[in-house]
Amino acid sequence: MTETNIAENFKIVRQQINEAEKKCGRKEGSVKLCAVSKFHPVEEIEEALKCSQILFGENRVQEAYSKFSALKEKGFNNLQLHLIGALQSNKVKKACEISCAIESVDRESLLPEIEKHCSFFNKTMEVFFELHTGEDSKSGFKSEDEILICAEKIASGKFPHVNLTGLMTMAPFTEDEALIRKSFSSLRNLKEKLNVSFPQLPVKELSMGMSGDFKIAIEEGSTIVRIGTSLFGRRDYSGTENQGVNA
Ligand SMILES: *Cc1c(COP(=O)(O)O)cnc(C)c1O
């Protein structure tokens, strides 16, 4: 994909986000754009940086680590990286080193790991709980109850380097708009429950909406849309084993 295309794509997507905000009466700028750069090279991320993009999403720790350390070495220091893919326990340390948020926390056992490494790095991690709301992949907590239990542990002060800032989900890949909407509204309802039960926790973000469904997500209250394909073009999965929908 050429330079002009990426710049043009950012213009189009940002405009579409603004229009969607307006259409449902939300404030302009209330939805953040997370540019999902997985499988795309550093050069293309630099094109995005020229468009003043600072928030990026990556799903594989090793890939993110090499690309974003390279960018840091080049002097890009104000980038924000959100990890959005399934996280193996043995990658938590690297994940904590390079990212400011982990959106794909899907089990309780990650919390003490994140706490340990962030305490070592002397930083606070923004954590999002991922709820499985029906996409084909298996990612995310399977029940709201598990999320409420984890939130309670964070609220009890057990993990001082963990900030529960939001929730994330992926809608099912379907043409059925009602199903997509249902997935997003269930995430919004869970956030409202958390806000009532744990007012001391800063759960404010709803990370939902991808290239194919972000307009619906914005109507349903999304505060962060994670968009890859519409910005960077199709991903080239050749040469990887990781070809599932969550790749
Ligand atoms: C790849 C990915 C995205 C971006 O998907 P597009 O359809 O390319 O916009 C968003 N969220 C997650 C969790 C992803 O893995």
PDB file of all heavy atoms in Angstrom, residues 108-109 111-116 119 149-163 200-201:
ATOM      1  N   GLU A 108      -8.186 -14.576  35.085  1.00  0.00           N
ATOM      2  CA  GLU A 108      -7.728 -13.994  36.339  1.00  0.00           C
ATOM      3  C   GLU A 108      -6.227 -14.162  36.533  1.00  0.00           C
ATOM      4  O   GLU A 108      -5.550 -13.280  37.073  1.00  0.00           O
ATOM      5  CB  GLU A 108      -8.483 -14.658  37.502  1.00  0.00           C
ATOM      6  CG  GLU A 108      -8.257 -13.963  38.817  1.00  0.00           C
ATOM      7  CD  GLU A 108      -8.950 -14.683  39.979  1.00  0.00           C
ATOM      8  OE1 GLU A 108      -9.986 -15.343  39.755  1.00  0.00           O
ATOM      9  OE2 GLU A 108      -8.432 -14.565  41.103  1.00  0.00           O
ATOM     10  N   SER A 109      -5.681 -15.284  36.049  1.00  0.00           N
ATOM     11  CA  SER A 109      -4.269 -15.572  36.319  1.00  0.00           C
ATOM     12  C   SER A 109      -3.320 -14.555  35.678  1.00  0.00           C
ATOM     13  O   SER A 109      -2.143 -14.494  36.040  1.00  0.00           O
ATOM     14  CB  SER A 109      -3.925 -16.983  35.841  1.00  0.00           C
ATOM     15  OG  SER A 109      -4.130 -17.081  34.449  1.00  0.00           O
ATOM     16  N   LEU A 111      -3.634 -11.356  36.047  1.00  0.00           N
ATOM     17  CA  LEU A 111      -3.542 -10.173  36.910  1.00  0.00           C
ATOM     18  C   LEU A 111      -2.299 -10.170  37.801  1.00  0.00           C
ATOM     19  O   LEU A 111      -1.564  -9.170  37.826  1.00  0.00           O
ATOM     20  CB  LEU A 111      -4.820 -10.006  37.735  1.00  0.00           C
ATOM     21  CG  LEU A 111      -6.086  -9.741  36.912  1.00  0.00           C
ATOM     22  CD1 LEU A 111      -7.309  -9.698  37.809  1.00  0.00           C
ATOM     23  CD2 LEU A 111      -5.957  -8.446  36.116  1.00  0.00           C
ATOM     24  N   PRO A 112      -2.018 -11.278  38.545  1.00  0.00           N
ATOM     25  CA  PRO A 112      -0.780 -11.257  39.353  1.00  0.00           C
ATOM     26  C   PRO A 112       0.476 -11.144  38.489  1.00  0.00           C
ATOM     27  O   PRO A 112       1.464 -10.540  38.927  1.00  0.00           O
ATOM     28  CB  PRO A 112      -0.821 -12.593  40.103  1.00  0.00           C
ATOM     29  CG  PRO A 112      -1.910 -13.395  39.507  1.00  0.00           C
ATOM     30  CD  PRO A 112      -2.843 -12.466  38.812  1.00  0.00           C
ATOM     31  N   GLU A 113       0.430 -11.683  37.277  1.00  0.00           N
ATOM     32  CA  GLU A 113       1.578 -11.569  36.368  1.00  0.00           C
ATOM     33  C   GLU A 113       1.789 -10.108  35.947  1.00  0.00           C
ATOM     34  O   GLU A 113       2.912  -9.590  35.965  1.00  0.00           O
ATOM     35  CB  GLU A 113       1.331 -12.417  35.103  1.00  0.00           C
ATOM     36  CG  GLU A 113       1.381 -13.911  35.333  1.00  0.00           C
ATOM     37  CD  GLU A 113       2.792 -14.372  35.704  1.00  0.00           C
ATOM     38  OE1 GLU A 113       3.747 -13.930  35.039  1.00  0.00           O
ATOM     39  OE2 GLU A 113       2.922 -15.145  36.663  1.00  0.00           O
ATOM     40  N   ILE A 114       0.713  -9.468  35.551  1.00  0.00           N
ATOM     41  CA  ILE A 114       0.815  -8.057  35.143  1.00  0.00           C
ATOM     42  C   ILE A 114       1.286  -7.214  36.326  1.00  0.00           C
ATOM     43  O   ILE A 114       2.155  -6.351  36.191  1.00  0.00           O
ATOM     44  CB  ILE A 114      -0.543  -7.548  34.598  1.00  0.00           C
ATOM     45  CG1 ILE A 114      -0.902  -8.288  33.307  1.00  0.00           C
ATOM     46  CG2 ILE A 114      -0.499  -6.042  34.354  1.00  0.00           C
ATOM     47  CD1 ILE A 114      -2.331  -8.033  32.809  1.00  0.00           C
ATOM     48  N   GLU A 115       0.729  -7.503  37.501  1.00  0.00           N
ATOM     49  CA  GLU A 115       1.113  -6.769  38.709  1.00  0.00           C
ATOM     50  C   GLU A 115       2.614  -6.898  38.970  1.00  0.00           C
ATOM     51  O   GLU A 115       3.310  -5.902  39.209  1.00  0.00           O
ATOM     52  CB  GLU A 115       0.301  -7.289  39.904  1.00  0.00           C
ATOM     53  CG  GLU A 115       0.707  -6.727  41.262  1.00  0.00           C
ATOM     54  CD  GLU A 115       0.593  -5.210  41.348  1.00  0.00           C
ATOM     55  OE1 GLU A 115      -0.271  -4.618  40.666  1.00  0.00           O
ATOM     56  OE2 GLU A 115       1.399  -4.607  42.082  1.00  0.00           O
ATOM     57  N   LYS A 116       3.095  -8.119  38.889  1.00  0.00           N
ATOM     58  CA  LYS A 116       4.515  -8.387  39.181  1.00  0.00           C
ATOM     59  C   LYS A 116       5.431  -7.610  38.220  1.00  0.00           C
ATOM     60  O   LYS A 116       6.353  -6.914  38.650  1.00  0.00           O
ATOM     61  CB  LYS A 116       4.768  -9.902  39.052  1.00  0.00           C
ATOM     62  CG  LYS A 116       6.202 -10.338  39.289  1.00  0.00           C
ATOM     63  CD  LYS A 116       6.350 -11.856  39.220  1.00  0.00           C
ATOM     64  CE  LYS A 116       6.344 -12.358  37.795  1.00  0.00           C
ATOM     65  NZ  LYS A 116       6.364 -13.837  37.679  1.00  0.00           N
ATOM     66  N   SER A 119       5.110  -3.756  38.479  1.00  0.00           N
ATOM     67  CA  SER A 119       5.773  -3.297  39.678  1.00  0.00           C
ATOM     68  C   SER A 119       7.283  -3.195  39.414  1.00  0.00           C
ATOM     69  O   SER A 119       7.933  -2.207  39.778  1.00  0.00           O
ATOM     70  CB  SER A 119       5.465  -4.270  40.821  1.00  0.00           C
ATOM     71  OG  SER A 119       6.393  -4.146  41.841  1.00  0.00           O
ATOM     72  N   ILE A 149     -15.911 -10.946  39.396  1.00  0.00           N
ATOM     73  CA  ILE A 149     -15.020 -11.460  40.440  1.00  0.00           C
ATOM     74  C   ILE A 149     -13.630 -10.818  40.316  1.00  0.00           C
ATOM     75  O   ILE A 149     -13.026 -10.387  41.309  1.00  0.00           O
ATOM     76  CB  ILE A 149     -14.919 -13.007  40.346  1.00  0.00           C
ATOM     77  CG1 ILE A 149     -16.247 -13.630  40.793  1.00  0.00           C
ATOM     78  CG2 ILE A 149     -13.766 -13.539  41.198  1.00  0.00           C
ATOM     79  CD1 ILE A 149     -16.369 -15.125  40.471  1.00  0.00           C
ATOM     80  N   CYS A 150     -13.129 -10.739  39.089  1.00  0.00           N
ATOM     81  CA  CYS A 150     -11.809 -10.125  38.870  1.00  0.00           C
ATOM     82  C   CYS A 150     -11.826  -8.637  39.228  1.00  0.00           C
ATOM     83  O   CYS A 150     -10.870  -8.117  39.816  1.00  0.00           O
ATOM     84  CB  CYS A 150     -11.370 -10.292  37.421  1.00  0.00           C
ATOM     85  SG  CYS A 150     -10.938 -11.982  37.012  1.00  0.00           S
ATOM     86  N   ALA A 151     -12.911  -7.973  38.879  1.00  0.00           N
ATOM     87  CA  ALA A 151     -13.021  -6.551  39.196  1.00  0.00           C
ATOM     88  C   ALA A 151     -12.998  -6.341  40.707  1.00  0.00           C
ATOM     89  O   ALA A 151     -12.367  -5.406  41.215  1.00  0.00           O
ATOM     90  CB  ALA A 151     -14.304  -5.980  38.600  1.00  0.00           C
ATOM     91  N   GLU A 152     -13.649  -7.259  41.403  1.00  0.00           N
ATOM     92  CA  GLU A 152     -13.684  -7.153  42.854  1.00  0.00           C
ATOM     93  C   GLU A 152     -12.280  -7.276  43.440  1.00  0.00           C
ATOM     94  O   GLU A 152     -11.914  -6.559  44.379  1.00  0.00           O
ATOM     95  CB  GLU A 152     -14.601  -8.251  43.410  1.00  0.00           C
ATOM     96  CG  GLU A 152     -14.912  -8.083  44.866  1.00  0.00           C
ATOM     97  CD  GLU A 152     -16.050  -9.000  45.324  1.00  0.00           C
ATOM     98  OE1 GLU A 152     -16.526  -9.835  44.510  1.00  0.00           O
ATOM     99  OE2 GLU A 152     -16.433  -8.868  46.493  1.00  0.00           O
ATOM    100  N   LYS A 153     -11.476  -8.172  42.881  1.00  0.00           N
ATOM    101  CA  LYS A 153     -10.103  -8.337  43.372  1.00  0.00           C
ATOM    102  C   LYS A 153      -9.291  -7.069  43.123  1.00  0.00           C
ATOM    103  O   LYS A 153      -8.500  -6.648  43.975  1.00  0.00           O
ATOM    104  CB  LYS A 153      -9.444  -9.535  42.690  1.00  0.00           C
ATOM    105  CG  LYS A 153     -10.204 -10.824  43.007  1.00  0.00           C
ATOM    106  CD  LYS A 153      -9.337 -12.043  43.155  1.00  0.00           C
ATOM    107  CE  LYS A 153     -10.152 -13.090  43.920  1.00  0.00           C
ATOM    108  NZ  LYS A 153     -10.121 -14.406  43.274  1.00  0.00           N
ATOM    109  N   ILE A 154      -9.487  -6.474  41.958  1.00  0.00           N
ATOM    110  CA  ILE A 154      -8.765  -5.228  41.674  1.00  0.00           C
ATOM    111  C   ILE A 154      -9.246  -4.132  42.625  1.00  0.00           C
ATOM    112  O   ILE A 154      -8.441  -3.391  43.192  1.00  0.00           O
ATOM    113  CB  ILE A 154      -8.959  -4.814  40.198  1.00  0.00           C
ATOM    114  CG1 ILE A 154      -8.284  -5.844  39.278  1.00  0.00           C
ATOM    115  CG2 ILE A 154      -8.376  -3.419  39.951  1.00  0.00           C
ATOM    116  CD1 ILE A 154      -8.500  -5.594  37.798  1.00  0.00           C
ATOM    117  N   ALA A 155     -10.549  -4.081  42.840  1.00  0.00           N
ATOM    118  CA  ALA A 155     -11.108  -3.052  43.725  1.00  0.00           C
ATOM    119  C   ALA A 155     -10.610  -3.212  45.157  1.00  0.00           C
ATOM    120  O   ALA A 155     -10.501  -2.232  45.899  1.00  0.00           O
ATOM    121  CB  ALA A 155     -12.629  -3.108  43.680  1.00  0.00           C
ATOM    122  N   SER A 156     -10.274  -4.451  45.530  1.00  0.00           N
ATOM    123  CA  SER A 156      -9.813  -4.684  46.901  1.00  0.00           C
ATOM    124  C   SER A 156      -8.387  -4.182  47.121  1.00  0.00           C
ATOM    125  O   SER A 156      -7.878  -4.215  48.242  1.00  0.00           O
ATOM    126  CB  SER A 156      -9.879  -6.179  47.216  1.00  0.00           C
ATOM    127  OG  SER A 156      -8.777  -6.835  46.607  1.00  0.00           O
ATOM    128  N   GLY A 157      -7.738  -3.745  46.045  1.00  0.00           N
ATOM    129  CA  GLY A 157      -6.399  -3.184  46.190  1.00  0.00           C
ATOM    130  C   GLY A 157      -5.276  -4.197  46.054  1.00  0.00           C
ATOM    131  O   GLY A 157      -4.109  -3.907  46.327  1.00  0.00           O
ATOM    132  N   LYS A 158      -5.622  -5.388  45.594  1.00  0.00           N
ATOM    133  CA  LYS A 158      -4.639  -6.459  45.483  1.00  0.00           C
ATOM    134  C   LYS A 158      -3.599  -6.218  44.398  1.00  0.00           C
ATOM    135  O   LYS A 158      -2.500  -6.768  44.446  1.00  0.00           O
ATOM    136  CB  LYS A 158      -5.405  -7.759  45.139  1.00  0.00           C
ATOM    137  CG  LYS A 158      -5.078  -8.916  46.041  1.00  0.00           C
ATOM    138  CD  LYS A 158      -5.915 -10.131  45.656  1.00  0.00           C
ATOM    139  CE  LYS A 158      -5.007 -11.355  45.652  1.00  0.00           C
ATOM    140  NZ  LYS A 158      -5.714 -12.576  45.282  1.00  0.00           N
ATOM    141  N   PHE A 159      -3.978  -5.438  43.395  1.00  0.00           N
ATOM    142  CA  PHE A 159      -3.086  -5.229  42.243  1.00  0.00           C
ATOM    143  C   PHE A 159      -2.884  -3.736  41.995  1.00  0.00           C
ATOM    144  O   PHE A 159      -3.471  -3.163  41.074  1.00  0.00           O
ATOM    145  CB  PHE A 159      -3.676  -5.893  40.991  1.00  0.00           C
ATOM    146  CG  PHE A 159      -4.041  -7.345  41.179  1.00  0.00           C
ATOM    147  CD1 PHE A 159      -5.372  -7.746  41.215  1.00  0.00           C
ATOM    148  CD2 PHE A 159      -3.053  -8.313  41.327  1.00  0.00           C
ATOM    149  CE1 PHE A 159      -5.718  -9.084  41.390  1.00  0.00           C
ATOM    150  CE2 PHE A 159      -3.385  -9.649  41.512  1.00  0.00           C
ATOM    151  CZ  PHE A 159      -4.726 -10.034  41.548  1.00  0.00           C
ATOM    152  N   PRO A 160      -2.046  -3.112  42.822  1.00  0.00           N
ATOM    153  CA  PRO A 160      -1.932  -1.643  42.740  1.00  0.00           C
ATOM    154  C   PRO A 160      -1.381  -1.111  41.416  1.00  0.00           C
ATOM    155  O   PRO A 160      -1.566   0.070  41.112  1.00  0.00           O
ATOM    156  CB  PRO A 160      -0.985  -1.303  43.902  1.00  0.00           C
ATOM    157  CG  PRO A 160      -0.325  -2.583  44.279  1.00  0.00           C
ATOM    158  CD  PRO A 160      -1.265  -3.688  43.922  1.00  0.00           C
ATOM    159  N   HIS A 161      -0.711  -1.961  40.625  1.00  0.00           N
ATOM    160  CA  HIS A 161      -0.196  -1.485  39.337  1.00  0.00           C
ATOM    161  C   HIS A 161      -1.132  -1.810  38.173  1.00  0.00           C
ATOM    162  O   HIS A 161      -0.751  -1.696  37.012  1.00  0.00           O
ATOM    163  CB  HIS A 161       1.198  -2.063  39.072  1.00  0.00           C
ATOM    164  CG  HIS A 161       2.220  -1.597  40.058  1.00  0.00           C
ATOM    165  ND1 HIS A 161       2.391  -2.192  41.293  1.00  0.00           N
ATOM    166  CD2 HIS A 161       3.108  -0.571  40.018  1.00  0.00           C
ATOM    167  CE1 HIS A 161       3.338  -1.555  41.961  1.00  0.00           C
ATOM    168  NE2 HIS A 161       3.792  -0.573  41.209  1.00  0.00           N
ATOM    169  N   VAL A 162      -2.339  -2.240  38.531  1.00  0.00           N
ATOM    170  CA  VAL A 162      -3.339  -2.551  37.508  1.00  0.00           C
ATOM    171  C   VAL A 162      -4.499  -1.566  37.625  1.00  0.00           C
ATOM    172  O   VAL A 162      -5.092  -1.416  38.694  1.00  0.00           O
ATOM    173  CB  VAL A 162      -3.879  -3.995  37.690  1.00  0.00           C
ATOM    174  CG1 VAL A 162      -5.094  -4.233  36.792  1.00  0.00           C
ATOM    175  CG2 VAL A 162      -2.786  -5.021  37.401  1.00  0.00           C
ATOM    176  N   ASN A 163      -4.791  -0.870  36.532  1.00  0.00           N
ATOM    177  CA  ASN A 163      -5.925   0.049  36.468  1.00  0.00           C
ATOM    178  C   ASN A 163      -6.969  -0.546  35.544  1.00  0.00           C
ATOM    179  O   ASN A 163      -6.709  -0.699  34.349  1.00  0.00           O
ATOM    180  CB  ASN A 163      -5.452   1.373  35.852  1.00  0.00           C
ATOM    181  CG  ASN A 163      -5.565   2.524  36.808  1.00  0.00           C
ATOM    182  OD1 ASN A 163      -6.184   2.420  37.872  1.00  0.00           O
ATOM    183  ND2 ASN A 163      -4.966   3.631  36.432  1.00  0.00           N
ATOM    184  N   GLN A 200     -15.366   3.079  42.496  1.00  0.00           N
ATOM    185  CA  GLN A 200     -13.980   3.536  42.696  1.00  0.00           C
ATOM    186  C   GLN A 200     -13.058   3.117  41.549  1.00  0.00           C
ATOM    187  O   GLN A 200     -11.933   3.603  41.449  1.00  0.00           O
ATOM    188  CB  GLN A 200     -13.442   3.013  44.042  1.00  0.00           C
ATOM    189  CG  GLN A 200     -13.178   1.505  44.117  1.00  0.00           C
ATOM    190  CD  GLN A 200     -14.424   0.681  44.498  1.00  0.00           C
ATOM    191  OE1 GLN A 200     -15.526   0.912  44.011  1.00  0.00           O
ATOM    192  NE2 GLN A 200     -14.241  -0.314  45.351  1.00  0.00           N
ATOM    193  N   LEU A 201     -13.511   2.214  40.705  1.00  0.00           N
ATOM    194  CA  LEU A 201     -12.684   1.779  39.572  1.00  0.00           C
ATOM    195  C   LEU A 201     -12.949   2.664  38.345  1.00  0.00           C
ATOM    196  O   LEU A 201     -14.097   2.987  38.054  1.00  0.00           O
ATOM    197  CB  LEU A 201     -12.978   0.313  39.212  1.00  0.00           C
ATOM    198  CG  LEU A 201     -12.602  -0.757  40.237  1.00  0.00           C
ATOM    199  CD1 LEU A 201     -13.023  -2.139  39.734  1.00  0.00           C
ATOM    200  CD2 LEU A 201     -11.109  -0.737  40.526  1.00  0.00           C
TER     201      LEU A 201
END
